[in-house]
Amino acid sequence: MLKISYPNSEVGKVLSASSSAVWNFITDATRWTQWGPSVVDVDCKERFIRQGSRGRVKLPFGIWLPFVITDYKDQSYWSWRVLGIQATGHRIEPLGQDRCMLIFEVPTIASIYLLICWIALKKIARILNHE
């Protein structure tokens, strides 16, 4: 699923996992490096993020950027600001007991980042199918 519109564009994928399993996976900061192509390290006091969680992420070329979780609705949505700039939103739509849609939102001005999000979705699907 790909949707480009203003103010946010989004890409999503149906996953063969419960929404709670996907939620636990994407909110576990210790696992972000496993699926986030643009994240090679994470420094966050909380293992599982929540509203107001702060930390920093290391990009592939070695730069650390600060982040804060700005929006958080348990089991359904979180978004963050990285270096003070609105970054990706992460939304889960349950589709049954062991299926859900995971959707990444990006500001339309940064729609090119949807390709990175699609890669992340494919990685998440592959990892969750092997756990």
Side-chain angles (χ1 to χ4, degrees):
M1 175 205 93
L2 174 66
K3 177 181 165 190
I4 298 178
S5 59
Y6 182 82
N8 290 321
S9 296
E10 45 187 59
V11 62
K13 182 169 180 55
V14 173
L15 302 176
S16 297
S18 69
S19 57
S20 63
V22 174
W23 181 256
N24 289 337
F25 186 75
I26 68 169
T27 59
D28 183 346
T30 67
R31 302 201 71 182
W32 291 352
T33 59
Q34 296 174 358
W35 57 269
S38 59
V39 177
V40 296
D41 202 358
V42 179
D43 177 21
C44 184
K45 290 180 183 172
E46 297 94 15
R47 177 177 175 179
F48 292 93
I49 58 161
R50 57 181 164 42
Q51 179 74 36
S53 290
R54 293 179 177 275
R56 60 189 187 139
V57 290
K58 186 176 183 181
L59 304 183
F61 43 88
I63 295 175
W64 285 93
L65 299 178
F67 73 82
V68 61
I69 305 304
T70 54
D71 294 300
Y72 184 93
K73 294 176 187 77
D74 192 36
Q75 299 293 312
S76 64
Y77 183 80
W78 69 271
S79 67
W80 60 344
R81 293 179 79 79
V82 178
L83 195 62
I85 300 167
Q86 186 62 43
T88 46
H90 309 73
R91 186 172 80 240
I92 297 175
E93 297 177 358
L95 299 174
Q97 186 175 356
D98 290 316
R99 285 184 68 227
C100 67
M101 170 83 77
L102 177 57
I103 300 162
F104 290 150
E105 303 171 348
V106 300
T108 298
I109 195 165
S111 291
I112 192 71
Y113 196 71
L114 291 172
L115 176 59
I116 300 298
C117 293
W118 177 247
I119 293 168
L121 287 166
K122 291 177 71 171
K123 284 184 169 188
I124 290 167
R126 189 169 40 253
I127 292 166
L128 291 177
N129 284 336
H130 289 103
E131 289 192 346

